[in-house]
Amino acid sequence: MRFDYAGTSVFVAGGTSGINLGIADAFAEAGAKVAVMSRNAERVNGAVQELSKHGGKVLGLQGDVRDFTQVRTAMEAAKEAHGAFGVLVSGAAGNFLCPALDLSPNGFKAVVDIDLLGTFHVMRAGFDFARRPGASFINISAPQSISPAPMQVHVCAAKAGLDQVMRVLALEWGEHGVRVNSIMPGPIEGTGGLSRLLTETERPQFESRVPLRRVGQKDDVANMALFLGSPLASYITGALIPVDGGVSLLGGRNYAGTPQPTPRA
Ligand code: HXC
Ligand code: NAP
């Protein structure tokens, strides 16, 4: 085991799939008591089943980050069961490719509400349920926060906004002993995000452009979360940390191959 999180209460918003579930899994493996929250009951139950294999305390909660009351209610239950949060992760997000001229105001709002407003909800509610001093708050950003990417005006705006939320909260909450940082994953294997951006056919060409010549693994991101939650990171706050194989150096236009709009569900 690389880190010892025995006794630590960890809450992961959007932690029932993909990268965020990978983060929850890493903390559970390291001995933490883990609570995950998302909208879909089936996904919540599946995540609880998966996380339980490590033998620790696991709690699955249904909730939508767009609704502040639902976030608070889930967090109250998690604190009651596991204690004040030592680590809080805000990872819920939505994404689809759509040119700005075809994007309705409601489509723009849908993503901003999940990624940006949702992150404020998670951070703000989380402050009341966190260990103070000592908690580590982690937002999940994306390269789109610094690199404008075609067909993603909604995602670029939302992720840039949540990075500024992170910086302001780091300024304001340092005195309470709460650190706030963002991880910026690159394209990560086997996730909803990657499948929306890249077809399997495009992948080899894309990987040849990544400075480290591969897409990332969920563990690459989870390892950074384990580090940020630990005393090794006790002097780090307000940082946007790429875990992207160098992809953010490429600029958004080169991020994907030939992006196609995502068909509506
Ligand atoms: C254009 C679309 C659209 C699409 C939805 N809309 N899909 N517009 N192209 N493909 C529009 C709808 O028409 C509607 O506007 C508005 O968006 C809201 O749609 P709903 O379906 O009602 O929204 P909702 O049920 O809230 O779902 C939100 C969602 C959905 C974002 C659209 O995809 C979702 O829940 N996603 C969560 C999972 C996810 O996206 N994971 C990827 C994370 S990866 P109108 O005007 O018609 O009412 C990531 C990026 C990382 O974030 C980068 C990767 C490398
Ligand atoms: P994913 O597999 O699609 O998972 C998204 C998670 O968020 C699901 O658990 C989903 O569960 C939950 N969620 C979505 N909307 C929610 C809402 N309104 N309230 C609560 N939970 C909600 O995503 P992913 O691709 O792994 O991405 C995870 C994070 O990494 C995101 O922040 C994304 O922007 C970022 N990222 C991903 C990549 C990548 O390559 N995939 C790259 C860069 C950044 P429910 O549907 O049950 O709600």
Side-chain angles (χ1 to χ4, degrees):
M1 189 180 295
R2 295 155 292 180
F3 289 89
D4 183 4
Y5 275 95
T8 301
S9 168
V10 174
F11 187 99
V12 186
T16 61
S17 134
I19 291 173
N20 306 321
L21 178 57
I23 291 172
D25 189 73
F27 278 107
E29 187 185 16
K33 296 173 277 186
V34 177
V36 290
M37 185 198 94
S38 82
R39 298 164 300 177
N40 183 293
E42 225 171 281
R43 211 165 276 151
V44 171
N45 293 335
V48 168
Q49 211 174 342
E50 188 169 336
L51 296 170
S52 298
K53 69 177 184 273
H54 299 296
K57 287 179 86 175
V58 177
L59 190 61
L61 298 151
Q62 233 181 310
D64 189 325
V65 295
R66 292 172 289 192
D67 183 326
F68 188 65
T69 305
Q70 288 184 27
V71 174
R72 272 195 70 86
T73 303
M75 287 184 177
E76 257 165 19
K79 185 179 176 191
E80 179 77 22
H82 294 169
F85 310 150
V87 177
L88 172 67
V89 180
S90 175
N95 191 17
F96 51 82
L97 299 185
C98 183
L101 289 176
D102 295 335
L103 184 65
S104 70
N106 198 38
F108 186 91
K109 184 175 181 295
V111 169
V112 169
D113 279 355
I114 302 172
D115 295 29
L116 177 54
L117 183 61
T119 289
F120 177 72
H121 287 162
V122 171
M123 296 285 107
R124 176 59 195 90
F127 184 88
D128 295 334
F129 299 103
R131 207 168 64 206
R132 302 194 305 271
S136 171
F137 287 8
I138 301 168
N139 292 334
I140 308 300
S141 185
Q144 288 89 332
S145 84
I146 56 172
S147 301
M151 299 200 199
Q152 295 185 76
V153 64
H154 42 336
V155 176
C156 292
K159 292 293 191 183
L162 78 83
D163 287 341
Q164 281 297 68
V165 167
M166 175 275 290
R167 293 183 185 101
V168 173
L169 300 184
L171 269 178
E172 293 192 5
W173 293 352
E175 66 179 296
H176 300 280
V178 175
R179 295 183 294 107
V180 191
N181 294 288
S182 291
I183 300 177
M184 183 171 76
I188 302 297
E189 173 109 59
T191 63
L194 188 62
S195 63
R196 280 171 171 78
L197 289 191
L198 212 60
T199 64
E200 274 305 309
T201 336
E202 288 173 320
R203 185 172 154 163
Q205 212 193 0
F206 172 75
E207 286 188 310
S208 74
R209 289 197 297 270
V210 177
L212 288 182
R213 297 289 187 269
R214 65 171 176 91
V215 298
Q217 299 298 318
K218 290 170 201 158
D219 272 355
D220 293 319
V221 182
N223 288 340
M224 179 53 71
L226 289 171
F227 169 71
L228 283 175
S230 80
L232 295 178
S234 64
Y235 203 51
I236 301 177
T237 197
L240 171 62
I241 304 174
V243 180
D244 69 347
V247 158
S248 51
L249 304 173
L250 298 174
R253 207 164 257 292
N254 296 318
Y255 192 73
T258 320
Q260 297 298 322
T262 309
R264 283 163 207 267

